[in-house]
Amino acid sequence: MSFDEIYNIALMQGFAGLSLFAVLLLMGLGLAIIFGQMGVINMAHGEFMTIGAYTIFLLSSLTETYAPGLIQAYFPFAIVCAFLVAFAFGWLAEWALIRHLYKRPLDTLLATWGLSLGMQQAFRTIIGPKEVSPTLPDWLMGSWSPAEGLDIPINGMFVLGLTIVVTGGVLLALYKSRWGLRVRATVANRSMANAIGINTTRTDRVTFAIGCGIAGVAGAAFTTIGSTGPTSGSLYIVDAFLVVTFGGAASLWGTVVSAFGIAQTQSISEFFLSGSMAKVLTLLLIVTILMLRPQGLFASKVRR
């Protein structure tokens, strides 16, 4: 195998790592927002990703049936709908369940785990147990060849671009909007935020819903690279928690760096090792670093 061939394969592995990075980051962003502000361990976060993926599938089916001429244009609109549907379910879950369990992290973990099992069963009952895939627009298919022997999937480029837009939007909202100001005040000192008139209960609810909405966008991105089943979200929940823990629970920048490092380490390792061994190597590296730095890569100073 020539040097050019090895170089092209390494580049393709690196870009495959960027696709994994995009999904992990979208999942981790929602978790970082929820856990960083409220301390809620949301074991049902993967199911909100599945809601976003199923939203894309249902809108794809409706478009094919009733407006086949719009099949090339429906996807961006469907992504917005995935966010809104997951946001609505997140709002409902916080109002019905999560708000009663604040400051009880173990109860919250058990309750959201039970919620995830219930949502998976609901998916099996309503959608069916089989995996499904939406019909994607033609402009998401195929690959781009910047050089001979180097093919970069267009859907991976789209997912990466979507991730950059969502991440930029979250950071902009967190540091330049009234909602972001309320969130940062609540994280810094919840009692003082209440004292100066911030409705921390409503802030928590909106924040939880936004985190779930971002998971819905992750589900929309996931449909471009894989099929969706009732348990698809649970396949990513452990990796998403690793991203948040490794980066620092209350740090969005830590989440970005952590997702990139984990995805690239796993993808490049798969070039030399089997998939399972690459996963083991990645986990060993994370555990070793966390033993040396338990607070994560980017620790935030938060008053409790």
Side-chain angles (χ1 to χ4, degrees):
M1 188 178 292
S2 67
F3 174 78
D4 289 340
E5 290 176 333
I6 295 175
Y7 177 73
N8 288 339
I9 292 174
L11 279 180
M12 291 176 68
Q13 283 294 116
F15 196 84
L18 288 179
S19 298
L20 177 60
F21 156 71
V23 176
L24 289 181
L25 178 56
L26 288 174
M27 287 286 288
L29 274 179
L31 275 180
I33 292 172
I34 292 171
F35 185 70
Q37 178 185 330
M38 297 178 289
V40 172
I41 304 173
N42 183 17
M43 294 299 293
H45 198 73
E47 278 58 53
F48 289 100
M49 169 185 159
T50 307
I51 285 176
Y54 276 137
T55 301
I56 299 291
F57 169 71
L58 292 175
L59 287 175
S60 168
S61 301
L62 290 174
T63 303
E64 276 192 299
T65 303
Y66 298 105
L70 298 177
I71 198 68
Q72 301 301 323
Y74 86 95
F75 200 74
F77 171 76
I79 292 175
V80 176
C81 289
F83 173 83
L84 293 176
V85 172
F87 179 95
F89 276 96
W91 182 286
L92 180 62
E94 200 282 339
W95 174 80
L97 180 66
I98 304 299
R99 68 189 177 104
H100 303 292
L101 301 173
Y102 288 134
K103 298 182 180 179
R104 294 158 60 186
L106 182 59
D107 291 347
T108 304
L109 187 150
L110 293 174
T112 54
W113 181 56
L115 177 63
S116 73
L117 295 178
M119 292 173 73
Q120 289 177 22
Q121 189 57 46
F123 297 150
R124 291 188 183 95
T125 302
I126 298 171
I127 307 294
K130 295 182 179 180
E131 293 189 346
V132 296
S133 298
T135 300
L136 298 176
D138 292 339
W139 50 269
L140 275 176
M141 312 302 288
S143 61
W144 174 53
S145 300
E148 185 178 354
L150 179 60
D151 295 317
I152 298 177
I154 293 176
N155 59 351
M157 296 172 62
F158 175 81
V159 170
L160 183 59
L162 176 65
T163 302
I164 292 172
V165 171
V166 172
T167 304
V170 170
L171 291 172
L172 190 66
L174 194 59
Y175 292 101
K176 297 295 182 181
S177 71
R178 289 180 177 273
W179 167 75
L181 183 63
R182 295 189 186 101
V183 169
R184 287 183 287 122
T186 303
V187 170
N189 194 319
R190 182 177 292 269
S191 299
M192 185 61 70
N194 269 318
I196 63 174
I198 293 176
N199 187 340
T200 56
T201 300
R202 180 179 175 81
T203 301
D204 287 339
R205 189 163 302 159
V206 172
T207 303
F208 188 88
I210 288 176
C212 294
I214 295 172
V217 176
F222 177 76
T223 60
T224 67
I225 58 177
S227 55
T228 305
T231 59
S232 293
S234 61
L235 301 177
Y236 283 89
I237 188 65
V238 174
D239 288 335
F241 272 111
L242 280 176
V243 166
V244 174
T245 305
F246 185 47
S251 172
L252 292 185
W253 287 114
T255 301
V256 174
V257 174
S258 173
F260 181 82
I262 290 173
Q264 288 299 324
T265 301
Q266 185 170 325
S267 179
I268 294 174
S269 299
E270 287 177 356
F271 179 67
F272 302 100
L273 306 169
S274 65
S276 57
M277 286 303 298
K279 188 78 170 180
V280 170
L281 176 62
T282 305
L283 289 174
L284 285 175
L285 287 173
I286 293 172
V287 170
T288 302
I289 294 173
L290 286 177
M291 288 175 66
L292 299 174
R293 189 176 173 82
Q295 68 271 35
L297 296 177
F298 292 79
S300 295
K301 295 180 180 179
V302 179
R303 295 189 184 96
R304 296 296 184 190

